[in-house]
Amino acid sequence: MKIERIEMSLSELHEKLPHTLGKNSENRLGLLTSIDGGQLATLLLNPKDGTAGLLVSPLENNSYRSFTPQLAQFHWFERALFDFFGIVADGHPRFKHLLLHDQYEGDFFPLRKIALPANFQNVLPRRYEFFEVKGEGVYELPVGPIHAGVIEPGHFRFSCFGETIVNLEIRLGWVHRGVEKRLTEVPWQKAHFVAEAAASDTACANAFAHAIAIESILEVKVSERAQYLRTIALEIERLAMHVIDVGGIGTDIGLLGISSAMGRLRGKALALADLISGSRFLRGFIFPGGVRPVSERKLSEIKAGVIGLRKDLAPVIQILSENQMATERMKDIGRLSRSLAQEFGMVGILARACGIEYDSRQCFEQGKFPELAPPITTELGGDILARTRVRIGEIATTLDTIEKLLDGCPHGEDKITLPASLPANATGLGIVEATRGELIHLIFTDEAGKICRYSIKDPSFENWTAISIAIRENLIADFPLCNKSMALSYSGNDL
Amino acid sequence: MLKLISYLLNQGIATNRNICPDLAEGVRGLPKLTDIPCSTGCTACVDVCPTDAISVFKIEETGHIKLDLGLCIGCGYCVDACPTGTIANNPSTRVAVSRREDLVLTTASAPPGNIAQDATSVMVSAPDSLEKAKWFSRSVAARVVATGCSACDMELGAAGNPIFDMERFGVQIVASPRFADALIVTGPISKGMQAALSSCYGAMASPRIVIALGTCAISGGVHRGGYADANGIEELLPVNVYIPGCPPHPWSIIHGLLLAMGKEHLAPRSVARFSTVRIEK
Ligand code: SF4
Ligand code: SF4
């Protein structure tokens, strides 16, 4: 999508951001990063009118005054900025590494292109210090990086008093694979394979955001049919993920019948993905310029599949919703307040579960959205129950949307031919509402038209903090269920 | 609760009795090589491959290709690009192997150099032999270390759902390496997870088997060669079974587990159906 680029000095930025992003403002922070280490690049989004602006502010001495004390949503962005560029946020209340661990050399900043200043003093040791809670009877419980089940790695450091969690610090970065750097190394025509693997459980959303960003650099528009098919694929991915996430709630409550039924039904949702793309994870379906061809016969099979799935899902969801034990188990546990969710810029299901009406499908151009975007599902409780209800609500609206899109899908070309190279010094932006919320791909090209910086903001990046907040004062035994109800991505966060 | 039980009873048996069947028509599997010769001078497949899994070489003016499934992410682009049909889609889900070199396919009967050699990097030590794995033929307890993008993990999870039901073959996922006979590794094992993985392996009692699940675990896949050392398992642990695919289909995962348990006869990998592997040993 189109993006306005504004050069702005650091002091102007400091003046501007507190009201542009302050309480009750229309804007939100898309992401904060740098292009080569010599500047801050702040992406501001205005969901109301669907616009985006990029503020580029040159750095003077490789540092800036931290925004975090005033604007909490900056806290992880500023830490990541140090990890990857060595740029220092002065006055950050908890300044430490975020994603790169002690295996990396002290002065290793993988995305930095310009030289470090001669007087550079590394302010952070690689050794990671956890936040410590002191007091009689307080103990620490370290969990991970390898977890008990089949799930991605992360480390949770609980400080507990008895069975109550006083503080939870989450340390991620275990699956940092260098995706952003790799995206600047491969030929751009093949970059979509890498973009998909940022988090393959949302491969389609990642490929979609990548395609939108590249197409916006090239200033091309894909065919109407491709727009429809992309949107259908995105919703199929959402459907499959929501179904398994609701099933996961069943597992953690102990309603194994629900989880096995949902596991089976997810298989049916994946079969829809197989039909449209030949891959259960929609891999390789969306790429810059269009989509892989889909026959009309397949589309009608998908239609039949959606109708069948709607019928099959209804009784299972009804049984779960009516189950008093399940409702009691989820109610008032892992509660996130609306005001904190807003302050930390949280997105997706967990934000909508505390009443924040933000669904980027309603705001930013992505395929046939916002034109055919479903209504926003929200709840007010902010607890596990509310999150589950939002998911269940979205399963219904997603099924409706897929049907509507299938009915409207026109004939036409699947793809257009793209120019052989990207224009120089361009910026491209793609925003997609992935299963977990707002996903951003931001691309910069250099004088030669090569991708010189590729930045991805996974929805989980803002949302991990939500678990730490929501689990405070809850029992340690409630953590797995609370974690499942957020269903965040480790690999998308770690990149 | 009664409603749930009656619902489940009404659903009947969902489990597929046919073990590791072929993929449905139109579904993309891994590529395979056919008997049709390459057209000379063509490099169409090499040009489109995102992970450099294919290379072309010549023997007396005839073009031949070498395809390393350990690098392949199954995007299918080579199949679409190949003008002759030398590379085709392989619908079989029985793609797991116990030797790294068996993932390397070639159209040549006597390929130049030692293909097996350059497919395999340094092995840390010899794996516990699969002979011993026969001990696990009735039941195997597996510990999973996930280091990837989560799709491999989800497919492993799916292999346990009622449709595939890997537990019927005696496979159980356990929560501690102390109980585990097998270590299943997914993802490219970048720097961040290397120490955790080796301590998990160290905590397992012998005999123990290691299963590399997915292209990332085998070679690093799309992440190979970057600054995070995300190059797969091979320089870290000895491997008994390789399951290629990005992610592998749940049936392929079950095929790999059966292979690890010495029960491959339940789902034999018929070579004719698979490819024309003709590596001279
Ligand atoms: S299917 Fe495999 S070998 Fe063929 S182009 Fe894709 S990654 Fe390369
Ligand atoms: S092999 Fe593919 S699906 Fe598996 S972890 Fe790697 S990128 Fe993800």
Side-chain angles (χ1 to χ4, degrees):
Chain A
M1 55 180 279
K2 254 182 80 71
I3 173 169
E4 199 190 346
R5 185 173 165 150
I6 307 159
E7 305 286 328
M8 180 178 277
S9 76
L10 261 187
S11 53
E12 282 172 311
L13 189 69
H14 271 290
E15 227 163 88
K16 183 181 162 77
L17 289 187
H19 9 233
T20 323
L21 290 173
K23 276 211 173 92
N24 308 324
S25 88
E26 283 178 3
N27 301 289
R28 53 174 276 108
L29 175 67
L31 57 86
L32 170 78
T33 187
S34 178
I35 303 167
D36 58 13
Q39 63 293 97
L40 292 186
T42 318
L43 178 69
L44 295 181
L45 305 179
N46 186 328
K48 213 167 201 171
D49 57 21
T51 55
L54 184 76
L55 310 180
V56 179
S57 320
L59 288 168
E60 272 133 43
N61 199 16
N62 195 43
S63 67
Y64 59 99
R65 188 152 49 79
S66 166
F67 294 97
T68 305
Q70 276 170 296
L71 300 162
Q73 62 267 50
F74 279 83
H75 75 144
W76 272 26
F77 286 113
E78 293 187 339
R79 287 171 58 187
L81 202 53
F82 183 78
D83 265 355
F84 295 122
F85 293 96
I87 299 172
V88 179
D90 287 326
H92 187 294
R94 284 191 201 170
F95 200 48
K96 48 185 169 183
H97 288 285
L98 186 70
L99 300 174
L100 296 190
H101 294 187
D102 7 353
Q103 300 84 359
Y104 293 93
E105 295 289 319
D107 282 352
F108 177 69
F109 302 113
L111 301 181
R112 189 176 184 99
K113 296 239 172 85
I114 60 164
L116 283 164
N119 59 350
F120 180 75
Q121 284 242 314
N122 198 339
V123 289
L124 284 183
R126 275 285 171 212
R127 232 190 92 77
Y128 190 88
E129 304 280 348
F130 282 94
F131 182 81
E132 221 178 307
V133 181
K134 290 205 176 109
E136 203 184 313
V138 177
Y139 64 92
E140 276 190 1
L141 188 70
V143 176
I146 305 175
H147 296 159
V150 183
I151 184 165
E152 299 173 84
H155 183 91
F156 300 112
R157 183 66 61 99
F158 299 94
S159 297
C160 305
F161 182 73
E163 287 186 44
T164 310
I165 297 168
V166 186
N167 187 58
L168 162 63
E169 177 163 354
I170 299 171
R171 186 182 187 207
L172 298 177
W174 307 89
V175 282
H176 175 68
R177 293 144 291 159
V179 171
E180 291 184 333
K181 179 81 179 263
R182 176 48 51 95
L183 281 162
T184 64
E185 294 167 341
V186 293
W188 68 272
Q189 292 91 340
K190 291 181 180 179
H192 62 107
F193 297 109
V194 184
E196 281 182 352
S200 297
D201 52 9
T202 46
C204 177
N206 275 296
F208 200 168
H210 170 79
I212 297 174
I214 293 279
E215 286 153 12
S216 78
I217 290 187
L218 290 168
E219 297 181 19
V220 295
K221 228 175 144 47
V222 297
S223 70
E224 190 67 3
R225 180 177 175 83
Q227 300 279 25
Y228 268 90
L229 291 174
R230 285 176 172 188
T231 320
I232 293 170
L234 179 70
E235 293 305 304
I236 290 176
E237 179 171 270
R238 189 183 325 277
L239 180 65
M241 288 293 286
H242 279 6
V243 167
I244 196 70
D245 286 342
V246 171
I249 291 286
T251 316
D252 280 354
I253 290 180
L255 282 171
L256 297 185
I258 297 285
S259 61
S260 87
M262 288 307 241
R264 191 168 52 82
L265 294 176
R266 168 176 177 261
K268 294 199 175 178
L270 294 180
L272 303 179
D274 251 346
L275 279 170
I276 196 167
S277 70
S279 150
R280 283 159 58 94
F281 286 83
L282 296 148
R283 298 291 290 263
F285 181 62
I286 299 179
F287 48 81
V291 292
R292 283 187 184 236
V294 187
S295 68
E296 289 310 309
R297 184 175 58 92
K298 296 244 153 143
L299 287 181
S300 54
E301 280 175 42
I302 295 172
K303 178 89 194 261
V306 171
I307 293 169
L309 197 53
R310 191 194 287 275
K311 250 207 235 112
D312 293 342
L313 279 164
V316 190
I317 287 177
Q318 195 190 359
I319 291 169
L320 176 66
S321 309
E322 285 174 359
N323 188 310
Q324 198 57 36
M325 185 194 83
T327 308
E328 292 289 322
R329 183 75 187 85
M330 295 188 279
K331 204 166 159 17
D332 295 332
I333 311 279
R335 169 169 271 157
L336 178 70
S337 74
R338 184 194 159 107
S339 64
L340 283 175
Q342 213 140 29
E343 266 182 52
F344 282 92
M346 285 159 189
V347 294
I349 299 219
L350 59 90
R352 292 194 282 276
C354 44
I356 296 174
E357 291 193 5
Y358 177 48
D359 180 333
S360 69
R361 286 179 289 178
Q362 293 269 354
C363 321
F364 301 107
E365 218 173 291
Q366 39 191 295
K368 286 313 288 176
F369 300 148
E371 191 189 328
L372 298 177
I376 302 184
T377 313
T378 54
E379 283 282 328
L380 293 174
D383 52 6
I384 298 176
L385 184 62
R387 292 191 276 277
T388 306
R389 284 189 173 152
V390 170
R391 254 189 210 104
I392 288 174
E394 288 189 5
I395 289 177
T397 57
T398 292
L399 286 165
D400 295 343
T401 311
I402 301 176
E403 277 197 61
K404 199 153 67 173
L405 289 162
L406 284 168
D407 292 340
C409 184
H411 294 274
E413 292 299 319
D414 305 302
K415 61 175 182 203
I416 52 170
T417 318
L418 296 181
S421 58
L422 299 176
N425 300 319
T427 313
L429 172 67
I431 303 179
V432 164
E433 186 73 12
T435 305
R436 299 183 176 92
E438 169 208 87
L439 168 73
I440 301 176
H441 283 224
L442 179 63
I443 308 177
F444 298 91
T445 62
D446 62 13
E447 317 72 62
K450 227 182 120 323
I451 296 178
C452 61
R453 170 81 179 110
Y454 198 120
S455 177
I456 298 177
K457 199 275 313 175
D458 190 270
S460 300
F461 192 79
E462 289 110 340
N463 285 359
W464 274 107
T465 308
I467 300 193
S468 290
I469 295 174
I471 202 63
R472 263 189 207 159
E473 303 299 320
N474 283 247
L475 299 183
I476 186 98
D478 289 334
F479 177 74
L481 185 60
C482 182
N483 191 16
K484 184 59 73 55
S485 73
M486 308 244 183
L488 301 180
S489 169
Y490 300 72
S491 52
N493 178 80
D494 293 355
L495 293 173
Chain B
M1 192 45 90
L2 288 176
K3 271 192 205 149
L4 180 57
I5 294 169
S6 87
Y7 167 82
L8 290 172
L9 288 175
N10 274 328
Q11 289 301 303
I13 295 172
T15 309
N16 199 336
R17 283 177 205 278
N18 190 358
I19 302 169
C20 301
D22 279 357
L23 297 169
E25 189 242 308
V27 175
R28 215 157 56 238
L30 291 169
K32 67 173 177 183
L33 302 181
T34 64
D35 281 329
I36 309 170
C38 269
S39 77
T40 307
C42 171
T43 57
C45 54
V46 179
D47 299 340
V48 294
C49 180
T51 55
D52 299 330
I54 314 177
S55 52
V56 169
F57 56 91
K58 265 192 193 167
I59 299 174
E60 290 165 4
E61 291 314 297
T62 323
H64 284 287
I65 52 177
K66 185 181 100 179
L67 166 55
D68 185 351
L69 295 176
L71 287 168
C72 167
I73 59 168
C75 70
Y77 277 45
C78 55
V79 176
D80 296 346
C82 180
T84 48
T86 310
I87 306 183
N89 184 46
N90 180 11
S92 178
T93 56
R94 302 172 181 185
V95 293
V97 298
S98 55
R99 293 179 313 176
R100 177 68 178 86
E101 59 264 36
D102 290 346
L103 290 174
V104 184
L105 316 179
T106 174
T107 50
S109 47
N114 186 344
I115 284 199
Q117 195 98 59
D118 58 49
T120 331
S121 35
V122 228
M123 266 270 182
V124 240
S125 58
D128 284 0
S129 88
L130 278 185
E131 273 308 300
K132 283 193 205 155
K134 293 240 165 72
W135 297 354
F136 307 131
S137 68
R138 292 168 73 96
S139 109
V140 66
R143 176 80 174 125
V144 182
V145 175
T147 77
C149 76
S150 155
C152 279
D153 314 319
M154 296 191 85
E155 288 300 58
L156 179 59
N161 79 18
I163 302 170
F164 304 102
D165 191 16
M166 66 182 172
E167 284 200 25
R168 72 185 138 144
F169 304 110
V171 183
Q172 200 198 345
I173 305 290
V174 293
S176 162
R178 292 283 190 224
F179 320 145
D181 312 311
L183 177 63
I184 300 180
V185 183
T186 68
I189 323 158
S190 57
K191 276 188 176 168
M193 279 306 284
Q194 290 172 0
L197 177 69
S198 65
S199 75
C200 180
Y201 180 70
M204 291 169 65
S206 257
R208 51 195 168 173
I209 46 183
V210 176
I211 299 171
L213 196 169
T215 298
C216 277
I218 297 172
S219 67
V222 293
H223 307 293
R224 187 179 179 79
Y227 66 81
D229 290 351
N231 301 329
I233 195 169
E234 214 142 25
E235 289 181 21
L236 305 169
L237 294 181
V239 183
N240 296 85
V241 170
Y242 301 85
I243 311 176
C246 178
H249 193 276
W251 279 129
S252 300
I253 296 175
I254 288 175
H255 179 247
L257 287 161
L258 292 174
L259 182 62
M261 296 167 82
K263 292 206 285 199
E264 211 207 355
H265 58 274
L266 292 178
R269 186 186 128 190
S270 77
V271 172
R273 231 157 103 204
F274 180 61
S275 70
T276 52
V277 200
R278 285 180 302 209
I279 300 182
E280 303 281 295
K281 282 284 134 48

